[in-house]
Amino acid sequence: MKKSIVLLFLCLFSVSFYAQTKKFKVVLDAGHGGKDYGATYHGNIEKKISLNTVLKVGEILAKESNIEVVYTRKTDVFIELNERANIANRSKGHLFVSMHCNANDNQEASGNETYVMGVTRNAANLEVAKKENAVVTLESDYKIKYDGFDPKSPESVMGISIMQEENIQQSIDIAGKVQQAFTKFTTSKNRGVKQAGFLVLRKIIMPRVLIEMGFVSNKPEGAFLNSEDGQNKLAEAISKAILGYRDDFFKTETATTVKKEESKKATVKKEDPKKVDPKKVDPKQSSENKTAVEGVTFKIQISASAKNLETVPKNFKGLNNISVEKGTTIYKYFYGSTSSYTKAKQLLEEAKAKGYTSSFIVPIKNGKKIKLSEAIK
Ligand SMILES: [Zn+2]
């Protein structure tokens, strides 16, 4: 009797554990809180706007199955920056999204922008990071806790170590999606994806972005940020971006694994392409042809950077056949180009072996990036 209860318990535990591991976990961080009001202009208070909008994003995401939302705060409380990172890391989230409002003495300044961690010398970016980082002065012993950090010094902002450079590509991707969605859901000015050193992002070991949803210092934009309608629109946009990110980087991974398992069961003849040793394959039945996808080119994105590098092997750990895509602020670098998904997976392994551990396959059709799940249908 006892044994069967234990067994039942174990079964239930493993089922729920299995279900849990399948969930996409997003950590939502409402900037500031409690004694830290953030930027305050014309009665628009950053800590309130960020919390209200975070809760709205969480509400929208909660309607989706298989998403778990983790909050760094759900009420008006003060939380230290390091603790925000601890909450995110402890939860083993897949994505960290910090939401803030911008402010500037020039009250004409307006628009939204999304930041990823990075070294910048751009004065405007440094200024935004400096303002957001200054909240640590409300914490005791902040210089010890943040390794001698001085919020007033630009060198200090530039020097914030980038601990998880390997997540930079995914971070840039979600940042791009947020900015795209803002353009779709609001009429606010799109200021683009930017890089700077943010203390709150510093220790987070997952793809991470900090969104400046708009300027509270700009009268009309501040009113929009402070309004129910404005917050609904912003939340709609940010949720859309998060779901798009989930579809690109999380769902496809799970879907292809399941598909592989199913096809393995269904047919013995169809070999799992992953298991085929390319050197041992008879050229006549090369998997190249079998896995070629019409009209789709696969490239391996190996890195993204603010630096414009010459596409020569010495700049890319000896890899040749490097191409570059120039964005407004970021250069994306790709290794190889093939119409075969099997070949693409080989190229991916080669890139990873060279040390580009966060590389991933990018399918392109008619010059546009498409979802991996669509490409290998
Ligand atoms: Zn802020």
Side-chain angles (χ1 to χ4, degrees):
M1 179 68 178
K2 256 186 190 168
K3 254 187 192 169
S4 63
I5 290 175
V6 171
L7 207 66
L8 179 69
F9 175 76
L10 274 175
C11 275
L12 284 175
F13 175 76
S14 56
V15 165
S16 74
F17 182 74
Y18 181 72
Q20 246 175 25
T21 53
K22 287 273 176 197
K23 271 188 182 172
F24 176 72
K25 211 179 266 184
V26 56
V27 184
L28 298 179
D29 176 52
H32 313 274
K35 64 183 172 184
D36 170 17
Y37 280 63
T40 303
Y41 282 79
H42 320 297
N44 308 312
I45 304 168
E46 184 184 358
K47 70 167 184 176
K48 283 189 182 171
I49 296 167
S50 65
L51 179 60
N52 289 346
T53 316
V54 153
L55 293 175
K56 284 177 188 292
V57 172
E59 231 170 79
I60 296 170
L61 294 180
K63 287 180 194 149
E64 294 281 321
S65 59
N66 281 329
I67 286 197
E68 188 182 333
V69 181
V70 175
Y71 299 88
T72 54
R73 71 180 180 99
K74 285 183 91 172
T75 54
D76 184 20
V77 286
F78 179 76
I79 298 179
E80 298 191 350
L81 294 185
N82 274 345
E83 182 51 20
R84 292 171 194 259
N86 291 340
I87 293 168
N89 293 340
R90 273 199 303 264
S91 77
K92 296 193 169 59
H94 298 105
L95 180 64
F96 179 87
V97 179
S98 187
M99 286 153 64
H100 290 257
C101 299
N102 221 333
N104 201 296
D105 289 339
N106 168 18
Q107 296 191 7
E108 295 294 304
S110 71
N112 45 58
E113 54 199 24
T114 302
Y115 281 88
V116 300
M117 274 299 270
V119 181
T120 182
R121 285 173 195 283
N122 178 294
N125 296 8
L126 279 173
E127 204 46 46
V128 173
K130 230 163 83 179
K131 265 187 204 134
E132 296 293 4
N133 291 336
V135 302
V136 291
T137 55
L138 297 172
E139 300 180 21
S140 57
D141 301 325
Y142 72 87
K143 282 210 170 159
I144 297 165
K145 283 190 279 191
Y146 297 94
D147 309 319
F149 179 78
D150 175 4
K152 289 197 188 94
S153 135
E155 287 75 26
S156 216
V157 176
M158 280 194 268
I160 293 173
S161 57
I162 304 157
M163 295 181 69
Q164 287 292 318
E165 180 72 19
E166 65 198 52
N167 286 324
I168 188 78
Q169 299 193 63
Q170 282 88 339
S171 302
I172 289 171
D173 188 273
I174 174 72
K177 283 182 164 67
V178 170
Q179 286 307 120
Q180 245 173 23
F182 276 154
T183 302
K184 199 174 159 197
F185 287 87
T186 75
T187 51
S188 311
K189 182 178 162 191
N190 183 340
R191 298 168 68 97
V193 173
K194 301 183 173 184
Q195 278 188 309
F198 288 91
L199 278 177
V200 67
L201 300 181
R202 184 178 72 142
K203 288 191 171 167
I204 288 171
I205 52 168
M206 65 199 73
R208 58 217 160 133
V209 287
L210 187 145
I211 306 170
E212 296 284 2
M213 300 183 286
F215 285 77
V216 284
S217 46
N218 178 295
K219 242 185 177 170
E221 193 162 277
F224 172 77
L225 289 163
N226 210 13
S227 72
E228 183 84 26
D229 176 54
Q231 289 165 11
N232 282 338
K233 281 181 177 144
L234 292 162
E236 201 79 51
I238 294 167
S239 317
K240 177 102 183 152
I242 292 171
L243 292 173
Y245 177 87
R246 188 254 336 238
D247 290 347
D248 281 3
F249 287 91
F250 191 75
K251 233 181 184 176
T252 43
E253 229 170 73
T254 325
T256 46
T257 319
V258 173
K259 240 190 219 167
K260 258 186 231 157
E261 291 297 321
E262 276 172 358
S263 64
K264 226 192 270 174
K265 275 178 206 161
T267 146
V268 195
K269 273 184 192 170
K270 247 190 199 171
E271 278 250 54
D272 180 349
K274 226 184 179 177
K275 280 191 178 165
V276 179
D277 182 349
K279 285 169 216 144
K280 286 180 191 160
V281 172
D282 178 346
K284 274 178 206 162
Q285 357 169 312
S286 160
S287 51
E288 180 100 359
N289 296 329
K290 275 191 269 174
T291 61
V293 186
E294 208 169 323
V296 178
T297 305
F298 297 98
K299 287 183 171 194
I300 313 304
Q301 188 173 327
I302 54 168
S303 69
S305 165
K307 270 187 241 159
N308 185 6
L309 296 167
E310 204 190 331
T311 54
V312 291
K314 66 167 183 168
N315 285 338
F316 297 90
K317 302 181 185 177
L319 290 175
N320 50 28
N321 198 5
I322 299 290
S323 55
V324 61
E325 180 196 304
K326 287 172 191 169
T328 41
T329 48
I330 301 289
Y331 297 88
K332 290 179 180 175
Y333 296 96
F334 301 90
Y335 168 53
S337 174
T338 174
S339 60
S340 154
Y341 182 52
T342 307
K343 181 85 198 332
K345 285 198 282 190
Q346 260 170 258
L347 294 170
L348 177 66
E349 290 313 313
E350 284 170 32
K352 284 189 173 173
K354 287 276 184 187
Y356 291 105
T357 51
S358 69
S359 300
F360 55 93
I361 298 173
V362 179
I364 299 158
K365 194 174 183 178
N366 301 328
K368 269 189 171 175
K369 281 179 201 168
I370 59 168
K371 284 178 191 166
L372 193 56
S373 54
E374 270 169 48
I376 58 175
K377 232 177 238 170

